[in-house]
Amino acid sequence: MRVALASVPLLVAAARAQQVFVTTTGHTCTPSATSPSYYFQPFSFTLNETVRYATAVPTPTTAHQTYAPGYSEAVKHLATPPATTTWGNYLPGCSAINATDTEDPYGQAAWSSLWQNVRLENYTTIGLYSTTVSPTPIPSSELVLPPKDYFGPTDCTSFPEDFVFGVAGSAAQIEGAIALEGRGPTIMEKLVGAEQPKDYVTAENYFLYKQDIRRLAAMGVKYYSFSIPWARILPFTLPGTPVNQEGIDHYDDLINEVLDAGMKPIVTLIHFDSPWVFVSSDNFTATPDFGAKNGGYQNETFVDAFVNYAKIVLTHYADRVPIWVTFNEPWLYSFNFAGADNVVHAHAEVYHFYKDVLKGSGKMGIKFNDNFGVPRDPKNASDVEAAKRFQEIYLGLYGNPIFLGQQYPDSVLSTLPGAKPLSNKELRYIGNTSDFFGIDPYTATVVSQPAGGINACASNQSAPLWPVCAVEETRNVYGWNIGYRSQSYVYITPTYLREYLNYLWNTFRKPVLVGEFGFPVFNEVEKDLPDQLFDTPRSTYYLAFMSEILKSIHEDGVNVLGALAWSWVDNWEFGDAASHFGMQVLNETTQQRFFKKSFFDVVDFVNARLPSP
């Protein structure tokens, strides 16, 4: 510990009067004045703690709550109810269209040609399963709580009764079955390089969802967040094209399975998997952070197409789903102005359809990516200015109009080509169209101004840091890492999470939903199974973050709607096989799942702090 020289005499004097220790957390403690006593006693080997088991979610005993009209009534609000059909499977090695219905623009031949146009040279595997697997009971031997870590939270507070806690995943990263049962191609089939793992198989959740849901319920998980792929509902994407009946039936059954298991579903309408029609042109470019310049959202047909797709999904499922997310992390796919502007308008239209037309009583929102940008030196005005711009570009771009009914930030209008202000009429329509502010705050990042300043960067589209125009680092002003490092970009930064929640609540004035947060333990993929399962760094991450959420609620007055842990199983991280975010190990060969320690720890932590029903 480093002590200012001027304070040394005072500390010495105090220590002579009474021995005092200053801990690394800043607290002082006084040792006991009594001397220890020593004695002999009979010795025996005993268990240090009683064996405990995970407590499953109770099976519902009453009818499911409804949040909107059922399909027979909701479909009346569609101008033209879409036709439904089914298609077959596009299997690896298919080089010719065998279908004879070549005159049908949406027939089997046309559907197969969608996949032929993608040119999947490396599509060689379809996984172990080709039909839905029936669930089996989870053995009690898999549900024994692991040994506790020595240090843990010491809080004395509880989560609100309506706090939403659960786990999250996305279709592209867990389902597999990409060209089976009528699904159309998406951006994911073009995004990653030829040598990287693909999403063709992943966790095969498309066929194993019943068993996966039962495993989550057995652990005591109360909310399950997943996404529905646009291309599995509308393989041809655009309004007026037929709906895939197999896709509709699949998610209908999945939602019912979640409810019957005692959990509640949270549904995201698009999680990176833009349909192929929007990204098939040559101007598509993948970026190193798995985003996509010109990734589809800027397409002139996007808004009408997305709203049409959303209406179809909502008419089928809004009666049973309490929480909806329109877009997941749109900045990664729309960091040009046209794309962002389309997202803002499309989101608002879907919200108004749900609330004003269907009279939905659930919650609907949108969620963003943004590792909280903290100034490198909070006392340096230049760094503070860089942090403010950082938040404006990532969040204000969408947050100003959607949450506050306010204009796009000046930094956006003066930086992004083609940017133009919203009219007063647009602002009135778009404003206040989200019931919560969704955020995926995996970690924090240290922010400062680029060399030459923000203005020089903002005016130069070829500048390496354009358009954000902020230097992002992982070390603070004293050279320390901002937190304990993971396999990827995530550092354990719980105190910054609390600061971030405070910022979001007081800036955008809506309850905050932590839509994703998780930690890929360094080098976990190289460890033996028992060492992968005993994932203490991940437990530390989750418990620290949840503890700071409690402080945000009780000490800072922040309305935190809930938190969803990412992810419930090791999955496909967009071509990266080394970053394991899951709370279950996935054996990619056998498709077996194994609960990790962190899963038990975080569920036990939250459920112990929720009021009894």
Side-chain angles (χ1 to χ4, degrees), residues 67-69 311 314 317-319 321-324 348-365 435:
Y67 306 91
K311 287 180 178 180
L314 287 168
Y317 311 129
D319 59 326
V321 176
I323 301 175
W324 290 90
E349 284 195 47
V350 173
Y351 184 89
H352 281 293
F353 177 77
Y354 177 68
K355 293 289 186 176
D356 302 340
V357 179
L358 295 184
K359 306 298 182 185
S361 61
K363 293 180 172 62
M364 177 173 282
D435 299 321

Side-chain angles (χ1 to χ4, degrees), residues 72 134 163 244 402 427:
S72 61
S134 298
F163 187 81
N244 177 18
I402 290 174
L427 288 172

